[in-house]
Amino acid sequence: MASIQEVMQEAEERKAGQDEQGTKGLIPVHEATPSNLVVLPLEQAVPFPGLVMPIQLQTDLARSIMAKAEADGGYLALFARKIPTTEEEREEIRKAPKKDRLDPNKIFEVGVVVKILQKIKLPNGEEAAMLQGIRRIQRTRVIRRRPFLIVRVKDLHDIPSDTDRAKAQFRNLQNLMEKVVKASPHLEEEFLAAALNVNFPGQLADYTAAYVLRDHDLKQRVLEALDIEKRLDLVVEALTKEVTILELGQRIQDEIRAKVEKAQKEYFLREQIRIIRRELGEEVDSKEAEIQRLQKQIEAAGLPEEALAKAREELERLRVTPVESPEHAVLSNHLDWILALPWTKKSEDRRNIRGAAKVLDEDHFGLKQVKERILEFLAVHKLREGSSGTILCLSGPPGVGKTSLGRSIARAMGRKFWRFSLGGMRDEAEIKGHRRTYVGAMPGRILQGLKQCGVQNPVIMLDEVDKLGNDFRGDPSSALLEVLDPEQNHAFLDHYLDLPFDLSKVFFIATANVLANIPAPLRDRMEIIEIPGYLTNEKVQIAKEHLLPKQRKAHGLGVRDLSLSARVLQSIVLHWTREAGVRGLEKAIARICRKRALAMVRRRKISSAAIAVGDLPKYLGPMRYSGSGDRKVRGPGICQGLAWTPVGGEVLFIETTWWPGKGEVRLTGQVGEVMKESVSIAMDYLKSRSELFGLDLEKIAKRDLHIHFPAGAVPKDGPSAGITVASALLSLFLGKRCPKDLAMTGELTVVGEVLPIGGVREKVLAARREKIRRIILPAENRSDVEEIDKELLGTMEFHYVDTYEEVWKALGF
């Protein structure tokens, strides 16, 4: 468009002598014009009176219209075409034939009558015309549509306004024009000089709207505003918004310029420093030094072929990436992680089986099955180099030493140990890492542990695997499937590293309290080793050999300062800590150590380092449990069963009572739906065998029955209390007491069959802890008892039953 601008400037200079106001392009003319005029629609522009306007004649229609106007005296009507507002209207215009381009319904009714000043040939061969706006006109009638649109028009005259408000708006408009010119780089000072020399408010409004305003419809509204004050209001309001936008853009531009100038300044200064150092022979290019460092590490790291190729590729990308680019830090961190991982480094395993067994025995008392499994692994590894990794899952109640056992296993094998708690984890990226597209991305915790250990064959403990969660961020248990599968983990793919890493040499050990909470596919990949709760004598031995020395050392005490006999430790176990593990026992010993340390600091005389049983309430407070005989005295309607809990086995008393009523049955003790069904099955079974058991059904029907499961605050559910409920009811109906030394567990069917149950080991140990001598178990659970060490069973007697009639006979009713 440079050529048309040059033509505009030349034409305006030639008309400067005709400019009565001395303004550039603004020529007020008051000559008479014809009432019938040929129309030239404007596609994107709005005409204004008093202005010299260049028009390019790009189409045959435009050139024909211009020739027709010249033939009729040189006058022409300019009307702005209505701009479509929807895509459908735009498409309609694009597809419209040329004959519809002169549709009067598509153009505004108010326009400008102009006079053709000159037609010009442009350098590119096209034609242009210089038009001088004369006055506003309004279309009143269409005279002809073809071949040219000819309309009858009437002149529109400005409505002057001499109010103070109009004068104020005129000055505001002049001030705003100054601000616009200062904030707009494309407007020159001559433009402002021309605007400030306009003495008529209406003409200044037209001048501003024509050259400054951008909105097509707003320009048309200014053209149609005959009231000078209204016209000023429209232009001032629009120009105020324009000034605000220009000032905001200028501030943004200044901020960007300041940042760019600062970055350029720092760059030039760094380059100057680099050149000066190079001239002095002291040049140390940080980027080049980093590249050299990484290159040496890559060649010396002994990376696998795929990892080596990836590292070299990343190094080349880093070499061509500017230090200022965020991608430089991403590439550098990724390379550092590749080089930091132990691709080939591994520790030597302890091959002395006796030495490993000695370490295990030193750290933990008992746990023969677990220790035997570790020794088996060491034996296989000794006979066959390169055997695949092993995944163990230590399952048992809290406090039995699962986590500490993992440390002992690592020490016995001579390997590094790293613990990773999974409790409450909900984001699978914690396992498999984040992709590098995320800000602050890092590898998963598995690779972080390997980096920390520095070898590829450590012992990694996945603690609390049964407490994994999942939400919208993914399922961590699914991510662990690849980690714990010996067939897949030799090529474990972390999202951040994006390279296969061999995890087959890692010895994974998982811990869990409740196996049922572990997803079946994950549980299937692990070898389950159940760690039962400890008996009283075992807890005493653990406290004597491990817990007491540990707490004495932790509290700065010696053997002469504190000693606890086996009898005292047994009393703590029985009366202050009733648990499957020894965590509560350790806390009790720690409390005693703290009180003894306080007494020593206060310089009180200690008569003896030993603490007697009678002194325990002074250290531990009142007894929490009175012993195992507190529930032995009972009447008919009470039977003791065995229950499994996440913290070990428990003896569960079931109490029943009745009174005259309507045969209603009430259950209490936070009983679940399955246990409610067990109660219904027991009632129906006893009624169906009333003749065998000698029951009076009429008497039972006239009495209300209440069945209670003590420890009412603890939820209870499951079918294993079926035969216990039936025995408690039978005891109540017959008025006979259940044996004091007998406990039972098993699921009862409505036809009297006794089905197997789970948690046998924990239940048997709970019975042993409570000094119960006889236990009734389903016959199919015989194998579970045979797996228990004979030393743990002692002189306990087991009755294996297939039907409830056998239970009835064992009760001796």
Side-chain angles (χ1 to χ4, degrees):
M1 295 298 295
S3 59
I4 189 64
Q5 292 174 354
E6 293 173 357
V7 172
M8 287 174 57
Q9 183 176 0
E10 181 181 352
E12 289 178 356
E13 290 175 353
R14 285 200 295 266
K15 295 297 295 181
Q18 304 177 20
D19 192 350
E20 298 178 359
Q21 306 298 330
T23 61
K24 181 181 179 181
L26 189 60
I27 308 172
V29 179
H30 306 287
E31 60 185 274
T33 57
S35 58
N36 293 340
L37 296 170
V38 63
V39 175
L40 177 62
L42 300 180
E43 296 290 340
Q44 299 293 334
V46 177
F48 283 93
L51 299 179
V52 175
M53 296 169 284
I55 299 294
Q56 285 185 280
L57 307 177
Q58 297 178 334
T59 64
D60 294 338
L61 179 61
R63 288 189 286 271
S64 300
I65 292 173
M66 194 62 61
K68 172 63 175 173
E70 286 181 314
D72 292 345
Y75 293 98
L76 185 66
L78 296 184
F79 291 93
R81 187 183 296 277
K82 295 179 181 178
I83 295 181
T85 57
T86 64
E87 185 60 33
E88 291 78 6
E89 293 176 351
R90 298 188 187 97
E91 187 65 23
E92 181 182 352
I93 290 176
R94 284 195 293 268
K95 294 181 179 180
K98 293 183 179 180
K99 64 180 182 178
D100 293 337
R101 298 291 178 89
L102 298 177
D103 185 358
N105 296 323
K106 301 297 185 180
I107 60 178
F108 290 103
E109 292 186 357
V110 177
V112 173
V113 58
V114 299
K115 185 175 181 180
I116 302 173
L117 298 179
Q118 186 181 4
K119 289 179 67 176
I120 307 167
K121 278 284 187 178
L122 299 177
N124 59 4
E126 295 183 357
E127 292 184 7
M130 297 301 298
L131 308 178
Q132 172 188 323
I134 298 176
R135 70 177 61 86
R136 287 172 170 81
I137 56 174
Q138 182 177 7
R139 185 179 75 235
T140 60
R141 180 183 173 187
V142 177
I143 303 299
R144 184 185 299 174
R145 293 175 181 265
R146 299 288 183 273
F148 309 107
L149 179 62
I150 299 176
V151 297
R152 179 166 294 172
V153 300
K154 68 175 182 179
D155 295 341
L156 299 178
H157 301 285
D158 291 349
I159 302 174
S161 177
D162 293 331
T163 62
D164 293 339
R165 188 175 186 280
K167 296 177 182 178
Q169 288 288 61
F170 178 60
R171 294 179 181 177
N172 287 339
L173 184 54
Q174 290 177 323
N175 294 333
L176 289 171
M177 287 293 288
E178 292 184 17
K179 294 182 180 179
V180 168
V181 172
K182 291 180 180 179
S184 301
H186 63 279
L187 295 179
E188 300 177 355
E189 292 295 332
E190 291 82 357
F191 176 82
L192 177 61
L196 296 179
N197 286 323
V198 177
N199 298 322
F200 300 100
Q203 292 180 0
L204 181 59
D206 291 342
Y207 184 77
T208 304
Y211 290 111
V212 179
L213 299 188
R214 303 171 184 270
D215 186 82
H216 184 272
D217 291 337
L218 178 59
K219 287 184 176 183
Q220 182 65 31
R221 290 204 303 272
V222 173
L223 179 66
E224 295 174 0
L226 301 181
D227 189 328
I228 299 299
E229 185 173 344
K230 180 180 179 182
R231 191 185 306 170
L232 287 170
D233 289 342
L234 286 173
V235 176
V236 168
E237 180 181 355
L239 208 59
T240 302
K241 295 179 181 178
E242 184 70 17
V243 169
T244 302
I245 295 173
L246 289 172
E247 290 178 348
L248 178 59
Q250 187 64 40
R251 287 200 299 270
I252 296 173
Q253 189 67 24
D254 292 342
E255 292 179 4
I256 294 174
R257 185 183 299 108
K259 292 180 180 179
V260 171
E261 289 176 353
K262 181 181 179 182
Q264 289 179 340
K265 179 181 178 181
E266 292 177 353
Y267 173 77
F268 287 129
L269 289 174
R270 290 194 186 98
E271 286 298 309
Q272 289 176 1
I273 293 174
R274 187 179 66 82
I275 294 172
I276 292 172
R277 287 181 173 176
R278 185 177 62 189
E279 293 297 327
L280 295 174
E282 301 175 356
E283 179 182 6
V284 180
D285 190 309
S286 58
K287 179 179 179 180
E288 188 60 33
E290 182 183 16
I291 296 293
Q292 293 177 4
R293 174 184 66 84
L294 291 173
Q295 189 166 8
K296 290 179 180 179
Q297 291 181 355
I298 289 173
E299 300 304 328
L303 301 176
E305 183 177 348
E306 187 173 353
L308 181 61
K310 183 70 173 179
R312 288 173 175 171
E313 178 185 346
E314 295 286 87
L315 185 63
E316 290 303 316
R317 291 179 59 191
L318 183 67
R319 194 187 303 275
V320 298
T321 302
V323 179
E324 297 79 9
S325 173
E327 185 68 15
H328 183 276
V330 174
L331 291 171
S332 180
N333 290 338
H334 188 232
L335 272 172
D336 285 338
W337 269 103
I338 292 177
L339 296 173
L341 291 175
W343 297 90
T344 56
K345 298 178 183 178
K346 61 181 181 179
S347 58
E348 292 295 328
D349 286 342
R350 187 192 301 270
R351 300 182 180 274
N352 187 343
I353 301 298
R354 292 182 180 179
K358 182 179 179 181
V359 171
L360 293 173
D361 290 335
E362 288 176 356
D363 293 346
H364 288 80
F365 178 81
L367 305 179
K368 292 183 179 179
Q369 183 183 3
V370 182
K371 295 176 181 178
E372 188 71 19
R373 179 64 188 85
I374 303 304
L375 296 178
E376 290 173 1
F377 169 77
L378 293 178
V380 172
H381 193 68
K382 182 177 181 179
L383 296 176
R384 180 176 178 269
E385 287 286 346
S387 58
S388 60
T390 304
I391 296 93
L392 297 182
C393 180
L394 306 179
S395 172
V400 296
K402 300 185 295 297
T403 303
S404 61
L405 182 60
R407 299 182 186 276
S408 298
I409 292 173
R411 193 165 77 91
M413 299 175 65
R415 292 191 177 190
K416 298 287 186 69
F417 177 80
W418 187 71
R419 175 181 170 272
F420 175 23
S421 178
L422 298 173
M425 181 180 295
R426 296 179 179 272
D427 190 353
E428 68 175 17
E430 292 284 343
I431 305 293
K432 302 202 68 175
H434 301 81
R435 300 192 184 277
R436 283 188 288 163
T437 53
Y438 294 99
V439 176
M442 291 186 66
R445 297 292 298 276
I446 301 297
L447 292 191
Q448 292 182 35
L450 289 170
K451 176 187 176 183
Q452 183 175 337
C453 293
V455 292
Q456 64 173 169
N457 62 336
V459 174
I460 293 182
M461 171 159 281
L462 306 175
D463 216 359
E464 310 291 353
V465 72
D466 58 326
K467 296 177 178 60
L468 279 170
N470 64 80
D471 60 10
F472 65 93
R473 290 167 291 187
D475 185 2
S477 62
S478 299
L480 278 177
L481 295 178
E482 181 183 357
V483 175
L484 300 182
D485 191 344
E487 300 298 326
Q488 301 181 41
N489 63 9
H490 66 278
F492 171 69
L493 189 65
D494 184 275
H495 289 156
Y496 178 86
L497 190 65
D498 200 23
L499 284 170
F501 192 91
D502 186 6
L503 297 181
S504 62
K505 297 178 176 60
V506 178
F507 191 171
F508 287 103
I509 301 176
T511 68
N513 298 131
V514 184
L515 285 176
N517 293 343
I518 305 176
L522 184 59
R523 188 169 62 246
D524 184 60
R525 283 163 168 77
M526 300 183 291
E527 179 180 344
I528 308 297
I529 297 180
E530 297 188 6
I531 302 179
Y534 297 108
L535 299 176
T536 301
N537 61 333
E538 290 178 322
K539 292 181 181 180
V540 171
Q541 194 69 21
I542 292 171
K544 185 176 180 180
E545 295 182 7
H546 300 282
L547 303 183
L548 182 58
K550 175 183 175 182
Q551 291 302 322
R552 273 198 300 235
K553 182 179 180 181
H555 291 83
L557 301 176
V559 178
R560 297 182 179 181
D561 300 321
L562 176 66
S563 65
L564 300 175
S565 64
R567 185 166 174 267
V568 172
L569 293 172
Q570 183 177 12
S571 181
I572 295 174
V573 171
L574 293 176
H575 302 296
W576 276 274
T577 62
R578 183 171 292 183
E579 57 179 345
V582 293
R583 190 168 291 157
L585 176 59
E586 184 174 9
K587 292 179 181 178
I589 295 174
R591 187 175 180 182
I592 294 174
C593 291
R594 288 196 300 271
K595 290 188 176 294
R596 176 55 60 92
L598 179 61
M600 294 178 61
V601 171
R602 288 176 173 173
R603 297 182 179 179
R604 293 181 179 176
K605 293 183 179 181
I606 300 175
S607 57
S608 174
I611 293 179
V613 174
D615 296 330
L616 287 178
K618 299 179 183 179
Y619 291 89
L620 302 177
M623 287 190 300
R624 298 178 59 187
Y625 311 102
S626 58
S628 59
D630 55 337
R631 296 296 308 273
K632 293 299 183 182
V633 179
R634 53 185 176 270
I638 301 176
C639 186
Q640 57 188 3
L642 299 173
W644 178 92
T645 69
V647 296
E650 292 288 343
V651 175
L652 175 67
F653 288 87
I654 298 179
E655 303 173 348
T656 61
T657 186
W658 61 351
W659 61 92
K662 301 179 181 180
E664 297 180 355
V665 179
R666 182 185 306 170
L667 300 179
T668 55
Q670 288 207 47
V671 181
E673 293 298 325
V674 177
M675 191 168 281
K676 290 179 182 179
E677 293 177 358
S678 297
V679 172
S680 298
I681 291 171
M683 284 288 296
D684 294 343
Y685 170 73
L686 292 178
K687 289 178 182 179
S688 67
R689 299 292 190 273
S690 58
E691 295 182 1
L692 174 64
F693 300 126
L695 302 180
D696 186 351
L697 294 181
E698 294 183 0
K699 180 180 179 181
I700 294 174
K702 295 179 181 179
R703 297 216 169 189
D704 289 343
L705 186 63
H706 187 167
I707 304 175
H708 178 62
F709 296 82
V714 180
K716 309 169 190 69
D717 203 5
S720 62
I723 63 174
T724 311
V725 173
S727 299
L729 291 172
L730 189 60
S731 170
L732 178 68
F733 296 156
L734 299 178
K736 296 182 179 181
R737 297 183 178 183
C738 292
K740 298 179 180 181
D741 63 343
L742 178 67
M744 63 188 71
T745 179
E747 180 180 354
L748 178 66
T749 69
V750 74
V751 295
E753 293 184 358
V754 180
L755 301 182
I757 43 79
V760 173
R761 187 184 186 91
E762 289 77 9
K763 294 176 179 180
V764 170
L765 293 181
R768 173 73 185 276
R769 184 175 66 243
E770 298 297 333
K771 298 181 180 179
I772 293 175
R773 190 174 61 85
R774 295 186 298 157
I775 298 178
I776 298 178
L777 290 173
E780 295 185 33
N781 288 118
R782 182 189 297 269
S783 59
D784 295 320
V785 177
E786 292 175 352
E787 292 180 357
I788 304 174
D789 293 341
K790 301 299 181 183
E791 298 178 2
L792 300 179
L793 301 178
T795 59
M796 297 182 71
E797 180 182 341
F798 293 90
H799 299 273
Y800 300 104
V801 298
D802 289 307
T803 64
Y804 186 76
E805 292 183 14
E806 299 177 53
V807 178
W808 175 51
K809 293 177 182 178
L811 289 172
F813 289 168

